[in-house]
């Protein structure tokens, strides 16, 4: 009975149990359907953190391939979900510039994995680019600075860059008030990008004024800025906002370098009524000039103790003294002086730093010099790498580290400068190596070089008012080795012979209409492994002058030696053979009969020179002085002395490094006695004194009748219709100045100049006047252009216009002169 009852209870419970199972299954199904929707959304939800990613979905693509998008994603299937990585992917897709919007969301799938979905809206395409309103700048110039292109997607960053670059282009042409906008509606509706331009008037700077400057005159401050007033032809005078910002910074720096620590500088632009002219005013509040009150020198180590030099010794190297103006120039010189003292002693890791502290309310500062002395090292081995052609000894001559001696830190930079000056190498690195563990306190030096091609075959043309028209074919090798004879023809054709000794060798063939020259030369920078250089050359020149034709064959031998960094001493022996032919009507008989030649003579010359210019091609500072004494012997015997001096001054330098320079130069020459032939005398004119014809500044004479059969001869003159002949002088003097300023970039500069000089001496007319005279002085003034074209070499094309202010009756003038060398 009991079992029956239990059975009834079980059968009564069964329907309720199936009902429970049904509800449970229904809930599971509903949860499976609803859960992904409920948990899809914000990628920052911690529900998704560290769950595996099973699917990455890309939506919204039409032009861009899905593979390109996935190549720019950090996440992928199988990796754990990280919200940081997803955000980084969104940023990467934005940077592609193809999409207007990029969004990401995550969804939790039934199996517990995550699906990441990127929804993209592509940028509209730019079908065409147009400019409207531009007159001063062409469509082509504007399109050249726009980084967008037809057929590409819209990119708001590049769009903004386009506007900025077009504004810069306009401002470079003087349109300071230009406004440029984009027609957004046309871009969205039709895909045509239209830049609407309001050029505004061209604004020229008429005046630059400084207000508040008491310590320094306006002229000195003007040299520190790049904003300049307009000057016809020579200077544009464009108003540039960025240049004004740089000028304010330059003036601020200038004042602080001169001790005005509290200086404040600002600027304002004042436009006239028609907005075509501007006045730039720099407003300066100088503040007080600070002076140095005291100097403290200490070590940067914890104990603050110096080991190499005492504080008193180092203070003696500081150029600034208490009470002096606190100027950066003096601080820099002091720091360099102290560091040099450590370098010489072998402390190549020494570091010297300076700082200053204001002392109270007074205009005084205390300077603290902190020194990290480091360790002292001696020089070990000097290793040279990279010279596959150049001999080691050629390089070691210029590497002046001495093994076993203290390692001079100055030589790291000086060695690079010396090796670079040879023009044999491209890349030069001088590196002290780590300390040798077997030799404590010793460091080797590694000199790494990269050789460059030192040979060239040149073709070119030369044309000028002095030398006429001519061509050139030349072969040059300035790493020549006369002893490196090839062992086979293939070695010669491959360029592996006659190279590596640092010698210079040149062969030049220069045929021309008025001048033809053929020459061969060889130079050795270290003759017989000494500090003396040697050179020899053989040349033939045929020169057509207005009065005659000169044929000259010359063989020369010379030696020289540098005396320190600036001075050079040299000696030269020349053997000459000169013949004059094709005399023109009116040439003096004394020239035709006595000097026609052939004439053989020798010349011994001694010279000394000093050169401190900062650049061989475009000097801005320094000077060159040279004095040469020569003694002639043979067919003609007489002494000659010549000298020259040229100095360069930088008057202004803009932020691009373009310099406005002033060149002052002078020359003189003197021959004693009356035995000098016409082809060794002095002449001026042409490029040597602009405004006058070539070689026409010199004494003149007329044909002598009866000479040499009767004496004294009679002289024909202008009254007899005889032409004058320039026969050169015994005394020559020249003095000139030239101002050069940039006009267009580094390519075109303008010059203004004054040339002056005279040539006097024996006129072959029976009288020998005092040759040292300035009574027949000439002066000319002029302007010109210089065209610096890199492809045509470092020498500029020179174009000059000059007008004589003082001249003689026999002078021939020449307004325009030029000189150009055109390689091809």
């Amino acid at each position: 009975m009991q079992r029956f009852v239990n059975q009834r209870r079980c059968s009564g419970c069964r329907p309720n149990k199936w009902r429970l199972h049904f509800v449970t299954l229904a809930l599971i199904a509903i949860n499976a359907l609803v859960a992904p929707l409920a948990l899809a959304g914000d990628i920052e939800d911690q529900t998704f953190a560290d769950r595996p990613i099973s699917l990455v979905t890309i939506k919204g693509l039409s032009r861009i391939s899905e593979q390109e998008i996935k190549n720019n994603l950090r996440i992928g299937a199988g990796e754990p979900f990280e919200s940081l990585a997803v955000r980084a992917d969104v940023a990467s897709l934005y940077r592609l510039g193809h999409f207007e919007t990029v969004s990401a969301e995550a969804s939790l799938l039934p199996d517990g994995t995550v699906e990441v979905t990127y929804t993209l809206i592509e940028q509209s395409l730019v079908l065409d680019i147009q400019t409207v309103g531009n007159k001063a700048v062409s469509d082509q110039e504007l399109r050249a600075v726009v980084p967008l292109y037809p057929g590409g997607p819209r990119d708001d960053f590049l769009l903004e860059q386009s506007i900025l670059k077009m504004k810069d282009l306009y401002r470079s042409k003087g349109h300071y008030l230009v406004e440029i906008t984009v027609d957004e509606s046309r871009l969205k509706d039709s895909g045509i990008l239209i830049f609407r331009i309001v050029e505004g008037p061209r604004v020229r700077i008429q005046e630059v004024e400084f207000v508040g400057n008491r310590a320094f005159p306006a002229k000195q401050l003007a040299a520190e800025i790049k904003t300049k007033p307009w000057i016809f032809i020579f200077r544009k005078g464009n108003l540039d906002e960025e240049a004004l910002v740089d000028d304010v910074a330059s003036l601020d720096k200038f004042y602080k370098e001169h001790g005005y620590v509290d200086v404040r500088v600002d600027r304002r632009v004042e436009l006239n009524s028609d907005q075509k002219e501007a006045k730039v005013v720099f407003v300066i509040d100088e503040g007080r000039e600070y002076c140095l009150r005291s100097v403290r020198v200490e070590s940067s180590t914890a104990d603050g103790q110096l080991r190499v030099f005492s504080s008193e010794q180092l203070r003696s190297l500081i150029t600034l003294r208490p009470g002096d103006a606190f100027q950066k120039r003096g601080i820099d010189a002091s720091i360099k002086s102290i560091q040099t003292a450590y370098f010489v002693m072998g402390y190549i890791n020494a570091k010297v730093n300076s700082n200053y502290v204001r002392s109270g309310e007074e205009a005084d500062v205390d300077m603290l010099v902190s020194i990290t002395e480091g360790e002292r090292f001696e020089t070990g081995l000097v290793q040279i790498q990279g010279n596959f052609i150049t001999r080691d000894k050629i390089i070691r001559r210029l590497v002046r580290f001495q093994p076993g001696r203290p390692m001079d830190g100055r030589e790291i930079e000086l060695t690079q400068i010396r090796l670079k000056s040879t023009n044999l190498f491209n890349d030069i690195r001088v590196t002290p190596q780590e300390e040798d563990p077997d030799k404590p306190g010793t460091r080797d030096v590694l000199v790494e070089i990269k050789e460059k091609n030192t040979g060239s075959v040149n073709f070119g043309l030369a044309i000028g008012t002095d030398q006429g028209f001519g061509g050139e074919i030349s072969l040059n090798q300035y790493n020549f080795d006369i002893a490196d004879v090839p062992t086979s023809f293939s070695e010669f054709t491959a360029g592996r012979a006659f190279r590596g000794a640092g010698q210079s060798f040149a062969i030049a063939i220069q045929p021309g209409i008025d001048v033809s020259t053929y020459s061969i030369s060889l130079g050795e920078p270290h003759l017989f492994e000494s500090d003396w250089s040697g050179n020899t050359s053989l040349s033939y020149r045929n020169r057509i002058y207005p009065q005659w034709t000169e044929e000259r064959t010359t063989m020369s031998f010379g030696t020289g030696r540098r005396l320190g960094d600036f001075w050079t001493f040299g000696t030269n022996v020349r053997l000459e053979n000169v013949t004059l032919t094709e005399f023109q009507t009116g040439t003096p008989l004394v020239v035709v009969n006595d000097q026609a030649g052939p004439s053989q003579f020798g010349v011994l010359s001694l010279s000394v020179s000093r050169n401190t210019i900062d650049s061989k091609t475009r000097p801005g500072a320094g000077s060159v002085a040279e004095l040469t004494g020569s003694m002639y012997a043979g067919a003609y015997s007489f002494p000659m002395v010549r000298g020259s001096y040229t100095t360069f001054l930088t008057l202004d330098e803009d932020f691009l490094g373009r310099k406005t320079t002033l060149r002052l130069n002078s020359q003189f020459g003197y021959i004693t006695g009356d035995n000098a032939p016409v082809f060794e005398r002095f002449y001026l004119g042409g490029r040597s004194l602009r405004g006058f014809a070539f070689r026409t500044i010199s004494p003149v004479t007329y044909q002598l009748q009866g000479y040499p059969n009767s004496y004294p001869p009679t002289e024909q003159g202008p009254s007899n219709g005889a032409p004058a002949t320039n026969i050169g002088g015994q005394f020559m003097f020249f003095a000139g100045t030239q101002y050069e300023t940039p006009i267009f970039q580094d390519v075109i500069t303008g010059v203004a100049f004054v040339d002056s000089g005279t040539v006097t001496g024996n006129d072959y007319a029976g009288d020998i006047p005092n040759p040292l005279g300035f009574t027949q002085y000439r002066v000319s003034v002029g302007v010109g252009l210089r065209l610096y074209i890199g492809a045509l070499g470092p020498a500029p094309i020179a174009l000059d216009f000059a007008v004589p202010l003082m001249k003689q009756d026999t002078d021939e003038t020449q307004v325009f002169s030029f000189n150009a060398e055109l390689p091809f």
Side-chain angles (χ1 to χ4, degrees):
M1 185 68 179
Q2 182 67 35
R3 187 176 59 181
F4 176 78
V5 172
N6 288 338
Q7 288 178 349
R8 284 180 58 90
R9 288 178 179 172
C10 290
S11 62
C13 292
R14 188 173 298 150
N16 294 332
K17 183 176 180 182
W18 281 108
R19 203 175 290 118
L20 178 62
H21 289 171
F22 177 78
V23 172
T24 302
L25 290 173
L27 291 174
I28 291 174
I30 293 172
N31 183 67
L33 293 173
V34 175
L37 299 177
L39 294 179
D42 189 2
I43 60 174
E44 301 293 342
D45 193 332
Q46 293 301 313
T47 304
F48 309 115
D50 296 327
R51 290 179 179 270
I53 299 173
S54 60
L55 184 61
V56 177
T57 304
I58 312 296
K59 295 182 178 180
L61 296 179
S62 61
R63 300 191 309 270
I64 313 300
S65 69
E66 184 172 318
Q67 186 60 45
E68 181 179 351
I69 301 303
K70 290 186 176 181
N71 290 341
N72 288 276
L73 299 180
R74 293 174 55 184
I75 67 169
E79 297 180 0
F81 180 87
E82 294 182 13
S83 61
L84 184 63
V86 176
R87 288 200 307 272
D89 286 342
V90 171
S92 297
L93 295 177
Y94 263 120
R95 283 195 294 271
L96 292 177
H98 296 306
F99 307 106
E100 184 177 341
T101 62
V102 179
S103 62
E105 64 177 13
S107 301
L108 187 61
L109 301 178
D111 59 359
T113 62
V114 178
E115 177 185 6
V116 180
T117 302
Y118 294 93
T119 303
L120 313 174
I121 299 178
E122 294 180 341
Q123 290 276 20
S124 58
L125 292 178
V126 177
L127 302 180
D128 192 15
I129 301 176
Q130 299 177 7
T131 55
V132 177
N134 55 304
K135 297 179 180 179
V137 183
S138 67
D139 290 348
Q140 291 76 13
E141 290 178 283
L142 292 172
R143 288 288 296 275
V145 300
V146 174
L148 294 167
Y149 57 91
R154 168 176 175 161
D155 189 320
D156 289 339
F157 175 78
L158 295 181
L159 197 60
E160 187 64 27
Q161 289 294 304
S162 300
I163 294 175
L164 292 176
K165 289 182 178 181
M166 286 193 288
K167 284 186 175 181
D168 290 340
L169 179 59
Y170 266 99
R171 286 169 179 166
S172 69
K173 296 178 179 295
H175 292 269
Y176 174 71
L177 302 175
V178 63
E179 292 293 337
I180 302 176
T181 58
V182 173
D183 192 332
E184 288 287 352
S185 60
R186 291 290 298 274
L187 181 58
K188 290 181 180 179
D189 296 341
S190 63
I192 299 176
L193 175 58
I194 300 177
F195 293 99
R196 298 195 179 275
I197 302 171
V198 180
E199 295 180 328
R202 182 175 182 179
V203 182
R204 288 174 174 168
I205 301 173
Q206 292 296 328
E207 184 181 357
V208 176
E209 182 180 357
F210 299 89
V211 175
N213 56 307
R214 301 183 306 275
F216 303 98
K219 185 176 181 180
Q220 186 172 357
L221 296 179
E224 300 297 324
I225 63 175
K226 56 191 176 185
T227 299
K228 305 292 183 184
W230 172 78
I231 298 178
F232 178 68
I233 294 178
F234 294 104
R235 191 184 294 149
K236 295 179 180 180
N238 292 337
L239 191 58
D240 188 333
E241 185 66 29
E242 292 185 5
L244 293 177
V245 173
D246 292 340
D247 288 343
V248 169
S250 297
L251 292 173
D252 182 82
K253 179 182 177 183
F254 173 80
Y255 267 93
K256 288 179 178 177
E257 288 181 349
H258 286 78
Y260 291 83
V261 180
D262 298 328
V263 67
R264 292 184 298 174
V265 183
D266 203 350
R267 89 277 185 252
R268 67 173 183 266
V269 177
E270 300 176 357
L271 298 175
N272 66 351
S273 58
D274 60 3
Q275 296 187 329
K276 293 184 178 180
E277 296 181 355
K279 176 181 178 181
V280 178
V281 181
F282 290 96
V283 182
I284 302 171
D285 181 7
E286 294 180 333
R288 301 175 296 176
E289 180 184 17
Y290 280 73
C291 296
L292 182 65
R293 189 180 71 167
S294 64
V295 178
R296 185 157 56 96
V297 182
E298 64 179 29
S299 172
S300 62
T301 58
D303 58 8
Q305 297 298 314
L306 296 168
R307 297 180 292 108
V308 183
F309 300 101
S310 67
S311 298
E312 291 75 16
Q313 289 175 314
L314 294 176
R315 274 198 294 267
S316 67
L317 298 175
I318 296 176
T319 58
L320 289 176
R321 294 290 181 264
D324 291 346
F326 188 66
Q327 297 184 355
K328 187 177 185 299
R329 181 172 53 187
I331 297 172
D332 292 343
S334 300
I335 298 302
K336 185 175 181 180
S337 179
I338 293 174
Q339 194 154 36
T340 299
Y342 276 96
F343 281 172
V344 172
M345 298 291 291
Y347 292 85
I348 64 171
N349 293 329
K351 293 181 175 58
V352 184
N353 298 306
S354 66
N355 203 350
Y356 68 91
V357 179
R358 302 183 191 184
S359 56
E361 297 297 326
E362 300 297 326
D364 294 329
V365 295
D366 298 324
M367 186 169 73
L368 172 64
V369 180
S370 176
I371 299 174
T372 303
E373 293 180 321
E375 299 296 327
R376 179 179 181 273
F377 294 99
E378 291 186 352
T379 305
L381 298 177
V382 178
Q383 302 175 347
I384 299 174
Q385 292 183 359
N387 55 318
F388 302 103
I389 296 175
T390 308
R391 297 182 185 179
D392 263 20
K393 67 178 183 179
I394 307 303
I395 303 171
R396 290 185 184 277
R397 292 169 182 159
L398 305 174
V399 181
R400 298 176 184 173
F401 287 101
Q402 300 181 20
R405 301 283 296 171
M407 180 174 285
D408 190 342
R410 300 173 303 172
E411 281 300 312
I412 299 174
E413 180 180 1
L414 293 176
T415 298
Q416 291 177 323
I417 293 174
R418 285 192 291 266
L419 289 174
K420 186 177 181 180
S421 66
T422 63
N423 209 25
L424 301 178
F425 315 109
N426 279 326
D427 299 326
I428 304 166
R429 288 189 293 178
V430 180
T431 312
Q433 302 301 289
E434 294 298 325
E435 183 178 7
D436 189 345
D438 297 330
K439 297 180 180 179
T442 301
R443 297 177 68 172
D444 296 340
V445 178
L446 176 63
V447 180
E448 298 173 282
I449 62 171
K450 184 178 180 181
E451 295 175 312
K452 66 179 182 181
N453 184 14
T454 55
S456 63
V457 178
N458 305 311
F459 303 89
L461 297 174
I463 184 171
T465 48
D466 288 359
Q467 76 272 20
F469 180 82
E472 177 185 2
I473 302 174
S474 63
L475 170 66
N476 299 279
Q477 174 59 259
Y478 45 92
N479 194 11
F480 189 71
D481 186 356
I482 195 172
D484 184 20
V485 180
T487 57
S488 64
F489 183 74
S490 61
E491 185 179 6
F492 174 76
T493 57
R496 296 193 300 269
F498 295 117
R499 294 180 65 188
Q503 300 166 353
S504 60
F505 176 77
I507 297 177
I509 301 173
Q510 299 169 306
I513 296 175
D514 294 329
V515 185
S516 297
T517 304
Y518 308 91
S519 64
I520 182 171
S521 63
L522 175 67
E524 167 59 68
H526 293 273
L527 197 61
F528 305 118
E529 301 301 322
S530 70
D531 292 332
W532 287 82
S533 63
N535 61 81
T536 183
S537 66
L538 176 65
S539 66
Y540 169 80
R541 187 184 72 174
N542 183 285
R543 180 63 157 107
I544 299 175
Y545 292 112
Q547 299 86 5
W548 52 75
T549 296
E550 176 186 300
E551 297 181 13
R552 181 185 294 258
T553 303
T554 304
M555 177 177 288
S556 71
F557 306 90
T559 61
R561 179 174 180 174
R562 293 191 65 87
L563 306 174
D565 293 330
F566 305 124
W567 291 90
T568 302
F569 171 79
T571 180
N572 182 269
V573 175
R574 296 195 335 261
L575 303 177
E576 303 269 13
N577 181 65
V578 180
T579 302
L580 302 183
T581 60
E582 301 180 11
F583 296 99
Q584 300 300 312
T585 303
T587 303
L589 297 179
V590 67
V591 176
V592 176
N593 293 338
D594 293 354
Q595 300 180 10
S599 303
Q600 293 86 28
F601 55 92
V603 186
L604 173 64
S605 300
L606 301 176
S607 64
V608 61
S609 64
R610 183 178 187 271
N611 188 332
T612 62
I613 61 173
D614 59 351
S615 171
K616 293 181 179 180
T617 55
R618 300 179 76 166
S623 61
V624 181
E626 184 173 4
L627 180 65
T628 302
S630 303
M631 187 65 200
Y632 287 69
Y636 304 97
S637 179
F638 59 91
M640 174 193 292
V641 61
R642 301 191 69 156
S644 64
Y645 177 78
T646 304
T647 186
F648 297 89
L649 304 172
T650 296
L651 305 181
D652 182 35
E653 183 173 358
D654 63 17
F655 72 110
L656 295 176
R658 298 175 299 186
K659 299 177 181 179
T660 296
T661 60
L662 183 68
R663 185 189 72 187
L664 306 172
N665 61 310
S666 61
Q667 303 175 45
F668 79 93
Y670 181 57
I671 300 172
T672 61
D674 59 352
N675 192 33
V678 292
F679 47 79
E680 293 297 314
R681 290 170 163 243
F682 300 117
Y683 300 83
L684 287 175
R687 298 296 302 167
S688 62
L689 203 161
R690 290 161 288 189
F692 296 86
F694 178 59
R695 283 171 59 105
T696 60
I697 298 180
S698 83
V700 299
T701 191
Y702 301 90
Q703 190 174 34
L704 303 180
Q705 295 295 320
Y707 182 85
N709 299 323
S710 63
Y711 193 85
T714 59
E715 179 185 7
Q716 289 188 342
S719 61
N720 300 323
T725 302
N726 296 98
I727 44 83
Q730 295 172 261
F731 172 72
M732 179 271 294
F733 177 80
F734 172 86
T737 179
Q738 178 169 289
Y739 172 87
E740 183 172 359
T741 187
I743 293 179
F744 177 72
Q745 298 181 355
D746 287 330
V747 180
I748 303 177
T749 63
V751 299
F753 56 86
V754 177
D755 287 354
S756 69
T758 187
V759 177
T760 59
N762 187 355
D763 61 2
Y764 291 129
D767 297 325
I768 303 178
N770 178 16
L772 294 174
F774 291 88
T775 56
Q776 299 180 348
Y777 206 69
R778 284 86 165 176
V779 178
S780 66
V781 297
V783 296
L785 295 174
R786 297 292 180 269
L787 308 181
Y788 292 89
I789 303 174
L792 303 183
I797 297 175
L799 309 170
D800 291 320
F801 296 86
V803 177
L805 298 182
M806 294 176 56
K807 63 187 186 71
Q808 303 301 313
D809 295 337
T810 57
D811 293 338
E812 297 180 27
T813 60
Q814 178 177 282
V815 175
F816 177 66
S817 65
F818 71 96
N819 186 68
E821 297 179 3
L822 309 175
F824 57 91

